[in-house]
Amino acid sequence: MILYTMMPHELVFPPDADAFGKQQMVKYQGIPLLVEQSDQQNVQVVRILSSDPQHFLDARVCPGEKISFSSLEGEVTF
Amino acid sequence: MDQDLQKTSANQPEGEEPQKQENPSSPIIEKIQQLGQTNVPQLSSDSKIHCLTIIGQIEGHMALPPQNKTTKYEHLIPQLVAIEQNPKIEGVLIILNTVGGDVEAGLAISEILSTLSKPTVSVVLGGGHSIGVPIAVSCDYSFIVETATMTIHPVRLTGLVIGVPQTFEYLDKMQDRVVNFVTKHSHVSEEVFKDLMFAKGNLTRDIGTNVIGAEAVKYGLINEVGGLGKAMKKLNELIDLRKDNKEGLIQ
């Protein structure tokens, strides 16, 4: 479907309200991460938010890696 | 301890490693086992060059739904503040691949970058469109890869009609801020930049220009065509230069 409109995509197709709640920014082993809840106990890494290139080589926080909820250092508030 | 060692070597046939259970109390064996561990990757604790990626949309006052890839202002700025404060970090590499986004947020990031006391080098990969332009030029030295593009176009509100002269005035002033920043931080003149911005017939549904790789260098917007290798070399050069200057000041 091609929609010819000047309206921004978000205005035409409003996103689900619960979509915002799924992702959160956390810190794990001193590395800030963007994670998504995958099941009751675990979260899945979506993005590494660090500026240190070494953190991207760390296998523990590769995107897609599952981390136990209890090992997180709490939510980061910027 | 010598006795311990002799005992172990006497008990073990040649070519076989001594087993943990046999001598649990021997401190030398424990030490060998500790030092012999190699399965943990040894990362250097701090990298002297940090890298920031500016990808997707630049998110400002409005939170975009999670399916959008965004660069968050409230996340980048504290990171840049931390980089400025950390004495171990000597330089920053900025990788840009953005479609643009919030003007105020983009200008805020540009200003913080341009006022950072440590050397900064930017590389435009893929695209550095609209508000990505000031971010790219805010660094001490900027690179663009040959295939990357930058779209220069006027500030506008997507999908909403500008109905009142006041709104237009406000947008015009906002645009001047962008133009001033870009002309101040790059070699492009205001005239050329505005010509590119208001060019007709280049973009499908908008006015403006799409400059590709070497063209951006030709207009003076970007310093040089090049990728990662060149950018790293330049950054190291700038870091060395800064060190020399500092040493000179002390003496």
Side-chain angles (χ1 to χ4, degrees), chain B residues 10-228:
Chain B
N11 286 347
Q12 296 290 323
E14 247 183 278
E16 238 180 78
E17 273 181 27
Q19 292 193 345
K20 281 183 204 170
Q21 295 93 333
E22 275 208 299
N23 237 338
S25 55
S26 166
I28 199 157
I29 297 291
E30 260 173 46
K31 233 170 226 172
I32 289 169
Q33 280 168 349
Q34 277 171 10
L35 293 171
Q37 264 186 356
T38 51
N39 51 347
V40 178
Q42 291 298 308
L43 300 170
S44 62
S45 54
D46 269 308
S47 175
K48 70 170 190 167
I49 292 173
H50 270 216
C51 169
L52 281 173
T53 45
I54 294 170
I55 44 151
Q57 282 209 51
I58 291 157
E59 192 181 288
H61 303 293
M62 289 276 285
L64 287 161
Q67 77 263 19
N68 296 66
K69 198 155 238 183
T70 59
T71 298
K72 287 177 198 344
Y73 156 94
E74 74 270 26
H75 164 234
L76 267 193
I77 299 223
Q79 255 182 338
L80 284 164
V81 173
I83 287 169
E84 174 73 40
Q85 285 178 313
N86 190 341
K88 282 182 185 150
I89 303 167
E90 292 172 3
V92 193
L93 183 73
I94 311 289
I95 308 280
L96 280 141
N97 195 349
T98 175
V99 289
D102 194 292
V103 175
E104 311 251 276
L107 274 181
I109 296 167
S110 315
E111 286 285 8
I112 291 279
L113 270 175
S114 69
T115 49
L116 198 76
S117 71
K118 291 171 184 179
T120 49
V121 169
S122 65
V123 184
V124 181
L125 284 174
H129 306 292
S130 55
I131 203 68
V133 177
I135 298 178
V137 304
S138 69
C139 294
D140 296 329
Y141 204 84
S142 50
F143 284 95
I144 185 165
V145 295
E146 263 177 50
T147 50
T149 73
M150 297 177 96
T151 308
I152 301 151
H153 68 77
V155 171
R156 52 171 163 62
L157 296 171
T158 330
L160 301 172
V161 180
I162 307 161
V164 271
Q166 284 86 342
T167 318
F168 179 74
E169 283 275 299
Y170 177 67
L171 280 177
D172 206 38
K173 273 186 191 163
M174 194 189 257
Q175 188 167 288
D176 280 343
R177 283 155 65 197
V178 177
V179 175
N180 287 340
F181 187 90
V182 172
T183 49
K184 208 175 143 193
H185 290 89
S186 68
H187 300 297
V188 72
S189 69
E190 192 179 333
E191 250 188 352
V192 173
F193 193 66
K194 279 197 164 167
D195 278 349
L196 291 171
M197 198 180 238
F198 298 110
K200 278 173 273 181
N202 291 332
L203 302 181
T204 33
R205 288 184 299 170
D206 205 347
I207 53 171
T209 320
N210 197 11
V211 290
I212 303 168
E215 262 184 295
V217 180
K218 193 185 86 189
Y219 290 121
L221 209 56
I222 296 289
N223 292 102
E224 205 180 324
V225 175
L228 181 61

Side-chain angles (χ1 to χ4, degrees), chain A residues 34-48:
Chain A
L34 184 71
V35 294
E36 202 174 61
Q37 185 112 33
S38 63
D39 51 64
Q40 285 295 313
Q41 290 94 38
N42 296 305
V43 290
Q44 201 164 21
V45 179
V46 180
R47 243 167 95 179
I48 304 162

Side-chain angles (χ1 to χ4, degrees), chain A:
Chain A
M1 182 180 73
I2 300 169
L3 196 62
Y4 293 97
T5 178
M6 287 280 287
M7 292 292 176
H9 187 265
E10 301 89 55
L11 259 176
V12 183
F13 302 105
D16 296 333
D18 60 328
F20 286 98
K22 267 177 87 185
Q23 292 190 347
Q24 54 176 329
M25 283 192 267
V26 293
K27 219 169 197 181
Y28 172 71
Q29 311 268 324
I31 307 170
L33 300 168
L34 184 71
V35 294
E36 202 174 61
Q37 185 112 33
S38 63
D39 51 64
Q40 285 295 313
Q41 290 94 38
N42 296 305
V43 290
Q44 201 164 21
V45 179
V46 180
R47 243 167 95 179
I48 304 162
L49 298 171
S50 173
S51 63
D52 191 339
Q54 294 293 351
H55 289 162
F56 288 79
L57 299 175
D58 197 334
R60 292 169 304 177
V61 295
C62 275
E65 203 68 32
K66 279 185 181 160
I67 297 170
S68 152
F69 216 67
S70 53
S71 62
L72 298 172
E73 284 156 46
E75 208 163 322
V76 182
T77 41
F78 285 108

